[in-house]
Amino acid sequence: MVKITRVGSSAPPDGGWGWMIVAGCFLVTICTRAVTRCISIFFVEFQTYFAQDYSQTAWIHSIVDCMTMLCAPLGSVISNHLSCQVGIMLGGLLASTGFILGSFATSLKHLYLTLGVLTGLGFALCYSPAIAMVGKYFSRRKALAYGIALSGSGIGTFILAPVVQLLIEQFSWRGALLILGGFVLNLCVCGALMRPITLKEDHSIPEKNHDHGTQREDCKQTSPYAPLTKEWTQLCLCCSLQQEYGFLLMSDFVVLAVSVLFMAYGCSPLFVYLVPYALSVGVSHHQAAFLMSILGVIDIVGNITFGWLTDRRCLKDYRYVCYLLAVALDGLCYLCLPMLQSFPLLVPFSCTFGYFDGAYVTLIPVVTAEIVGTTSLSSALGVVYFLHAVPYLVSPPIAGWLVDRTGSYTAAFLLCGFAMIFSSVLLGFARMVKKMKRTQLRFLAKESDPKLPLWTNGSVAFSVARNLDQKDEESVATAVPGCNLT
Amino acid sequence: MCSFSALRALVAPGYPLLLLCLLAATRPDLAEGDSADPSFTSLPVREEMMAKYSNLSLEIHNISLTEDARLNKKSPVQKNITLEKPSDLELICQLTASRDLNSVNVTWTKDDKLLENVFNTTKMGNTLYSQYRFIVFNSKQMGNYSCFFNGEERRGTFNIRVPRVHGKNKPLITYVGDSTVLKCECQDCLPLNWTWYTSNGSSQVPIDVHKNDKYVINGSYANETRLRVKHLLEEDGGSYWCHATFQLGESEEHIDLVVLSFIVPLKPFLVILAEVILLVAIILLCEVYTQKKKNDPDDGKEFEQIEQLKSDDSNGIENNVPRLRKNESVEQ
C-alpha cells in the first residue's frame, strides 16, 4: 500500500482530484446502498429454493442494513488508523467474499452469515470513510459534491434492479450472487482512488506527520503538548481516543445525535409501507410500483439539486436551517399522508417526500462536518450512521405492529411524522438556545470592556474570544478560527 | 346397474367428499359403460340421468348475437367455460334481429358434428333464444359447442375445457450437483391426481419415484405439486411435464430445466476480477508517479515552508464555519 506523507495542499481543493473522489464515493454508494436494496430481489428465489416464508428471508436484508450501520464506527476507526484506501479496499474484499461464499450456500442460515454479516461488515468499512473523504476535499462546493456522491443509491437502485433480475434469469440466484460479488469487488477500485489529503487543520494522523510538529487541539487540557512522532507513541491510549472521539461530549453533537435517532426512526417505514398503504386505499399494483419509482427518481433529483442549492452563497450559511427544514417538511408530509386516499393525491406526496428525503440525506454529512470539523469527520460520521442502525431495525416492525393493532396506517404514519418533526424542532431549539447564549455573552463582553473595538482587529478579537472561553466552553472550537480570518 | 346406484349416492346433498371418492371408485365403471354403449346419449337414458343429476348446480352460459350489417365480417363470438367436476350445463344463444325471426334456422354442433333434437328454441319479442341443456360427466362431453343461426350467418361457440395448470414460463436454471424444485399449480381447482413425465427424445416417460432417491414428489392431491430433483447432472436438463387429472379430463403443463456447469457464471466473474485488478494497478501507479513528481527536491522544501507558516495559525476546525461566526458578528 502506498503511504503518502503529504499531498501538498493545505486547503480543500474544491475540484481537481476532488471530483475523482466524488466519483469514487458515488461508486461506493452504488456498491453498498443500491446493492443492499437489490438483495430483496433475491427473496422470491430464496423462498422457493429453501422453502421458507417471506419473514425468514427478509432477515437477510435487515442484517445487511443493520451491520452496515452498526459497524460504521469500526470503519472510521480503521480508516483513521490505517488509511482510507486500505480501509475501503479491505471492505470491498470482505463484501465480495460474503457474496461469493453466499453463492455456495446450502441453507438460509449460511446466507445470514455470509450475505448478512460478512457483506454488511464489508459495506460498513467502506461507507462512512468514503463519505468523510469527500468532506475533506471540498469546502465551497461541499453540498453539491455530497449530493452527487450520495445520489448513487438512487441511480444505482434504478440501474441495478433490472440488471439483477436479468442475472437471476440467466444464471439463477447462485450465479447472480457470484457475479454481484465480482461487481462489489469494484469497491477496491474506489478505495484506490481515495488519495489521502492533509489539510492545515488535520493533525490527528501522526503516521503522516513525520517531519514537524504542529499545534494541536488539546483534549480538554489547557496546556498543549508537542506532538513529535516519538513522544506521540508514548501517549496513553485513552488520550488518543479522547482526541478522536472528543466531539462526543460536545453539546451540539449530542443534540444532533438525538435528532438523528428520531429522524432515522421516522424515515425508514415509508419505503416499506408506501406500497401496501397505496394498495389498501385502492391504487392498482402498477400504480403503486410507479409511486415507488417516482420516490426513487425524485430522491436522486433532490440529492443533487439541494446540494447545488445549499452551495449558493445566499444559502451556504444556512445549511443547518435547510437541513432541519427538509426534515420538518418530510414530517409534515407524513402527517398529511393518511388524508391522501387516491392515486392523483399520492403522486405529489411521493414527489415532495422523495425530494426532501434526498435533500436531508445530502446535508447530514455537511451538518456533521460543520459541528465537529474535518478532522473528526470520519469518526463523527461513523457514530451518526451507527445511530441510524437501531431505528432502521426497530421502526418498520413497530409500524407493522401498529398497523395490525389499529387496522389502519394512520397511527404508524402519524408516529413517524411526529418523530421527524420532533427531530427538527430539537435542532431548531438547540440552535436558538446557542444563539441566545452567544448574544448574552457578547453583551457581557461588551459591557466588561467597552474600549475594545470588537471584531475589527484580529488580535483584539482573539483576546475577547479568550475571555469568552472561560464562560462558554463550546465557543473554544468555534470562536477562535473566526477571528483568524480577518 | 351398479353404476347408477353409485351415481345416486354421489348426488346426495352434503357428501362432497363421498362424491369424490365414489366417483374415483366408479370411474372405471363409467368408462366401461361408455365403451360398451355407443348410444349413451340416446333420449330415454339422458332424461333419466337428468333426473338423477337434478341436484347438481345449474350453470347457465349465454352468448348474445346481433344482426348488424356492419358486423357481418366479424369473427364468431366465443366463450370459454372451465369445468372441473360433472355439471349441469345450459348453453343459450340469443339472436336479436329486426327482421322476421320465424324464418331463422337454428343448428347446434359439437366439434363440427351436428346435434339432433337436443335444443329448444323460443321467441320473445325481437329476440330468438336457443337453449341446449345437458349434463357433463366425463371427458367425452368436453369440446366446442357451436350454435348457428341460418347456417354460417351468425355463430356462437362455447369452449368447454378442464382448468389449466400453471408452471413456470421461463426455463429453470440450475447447476450440476445442485437440487431443484419444479412446481405446477392449479388456481381455484383441485385435481384428483398429479403425475410427472420427463422427455426421452420425443416421447413422455413417467417418472418413477421409487426407483432411486433422485426424484421426490410432494404436494399431490392438493392444488399444487412439487417435483424435487436431486444430484443434478447435465443430462437431467430438458423438458418435464406435469399432468393434472380431473374427472372430466386431463390438463398438462411443460417446464424446461437447464443444468449449467459452474464455469458458466465464473467467466463473467473472472472478467470483472481482471478489470478490477487492472484499474487498481493503474490508479496506484498514477498515484506513485504523481507523488514522485511532487516529492522532487526543489518543490519539497517550498511545501515544507508553506506548511510551517500555515501550521502556526492552527485552529482545527474547517474554514466555512468561521464565516458563519463572522456573519453573525456583523449582524449584531
Side-chain angles (χ1 to χ4, degrees), chain A residues 2 4 6-8 10 12 48-49 85 89 100 103-104 139 142 169-172 174-175 178-179 181-183 185-186 188-189 192-193 195-196 200-201 203 212-215 217 316-319 369-370 372-375 431 434-435 438-439 442 455 477-479 481-482 484-486, chain B residues 168 170-175 178-181 183 226 228 260 262 264-269 272-273 275-277 279-281 283-284 286-288 290-291 294-295 300 303-304 306-308 310-332:
Chain A
V2 179
I4 304 162
R6 210 165 44 237
V7 175
S10 52
T48 39
Y49 187 83
Q85 286 174 315
M89 283 178 136
I100 295 172
S103 76
F104 293 103
S139 80
K142 187 184 293 237
E169 277 172 31
Q170 288 289 314
F171 298 105
S172 107
R174 288 189 192 270
L178 187 67
I179 296 178
F183 176 72
L185 214 52
N186 281 303
C188 294
V189 177
L193 281 172
R195 278 190 207 167
K200 69 174 176 185
E201 63 262 358
H203 312 300
H212 60 277
T214 48
Q215 280 284 356
E217 190 65 49
K316 199 193 278 278
D317 303 324
Y318 299 100
R319 281 170 177 167
E370 273 186 19
V372 305
T374 329
T375 329
R431 178 52 67 98
K434 202 164 142 187
K435 234 183 181 171
R438 193 166 298 121
T439 325
R442 285 207 193 96
W455 311 121
T478 53
N484 289 331
L485 278 186
T486 55
Chain B
K168 204 173 169 193
K170 298 175 192 159
L172 200 65
I173 316 259
T174 48
Y175 291 93
D178 203 359
S179 72
T180 185
V181 173
K183 196 170 94 161
R226 290 164 193 262
R228 192 179 174 85
L260 301 169
F262 212 72
V264 176
L266 201 62
K267 286 189 214 152
F269 175 75
I272 300 178
L273 185 66
E275 167 249 326
V276 165
I277 293 177
L279 282 176
V280 169
I283 293 171
L284 290 178
C286 275
E287 199 173 338
V288 170
T290 326
Q291 206 47 42
K294 282 210 172 122
N295 279 350
F303 275 118
E304 279 197 44
I306 296 170
E307 281 279 281
Q308 197 77 27
K310 287 216 169 144
S311 69
D312 285 340
D313 50 354
S314 68
N315 32 51
I317 304 299
E318 60 171 284
N319 296 328
N320 58 349
V321 173
R323 201 172 294 145
L324 198 72
R325 297 282 169 271
K326 211 174 169 184
N327 282 345
E328 280 186 5
S329 68
V330 167
E331 286 160 19
Q332 294 300 318

Side-chain angles (χ1 to χ4, degrees), chain A residues 26 37 143-144 146-156 158 292-310 350-363:
Chain A
F26 180 77
R37 288 188 201 170
L144 176 65
Y146 272 125
I148 298 176
L150 293 173
S151 65
S153 70
I155 295 178
F158 202 68
M292 283 302 285
S293 309
I294 296 177
L295 203 61
V297 171
I298 305 279
D299 204 296
I300 301 170
V301 171
N303 267 326
I304 301 182
T305 56
F306 213 73
W308 178 85
L309 260 176
T310 49
S350 272
C351 293
T352 322
F353 189 91
Y355 186 80
F356 289 110
D357 187 72
Y360 78 70
V361 161
T362 305
L363 286 179

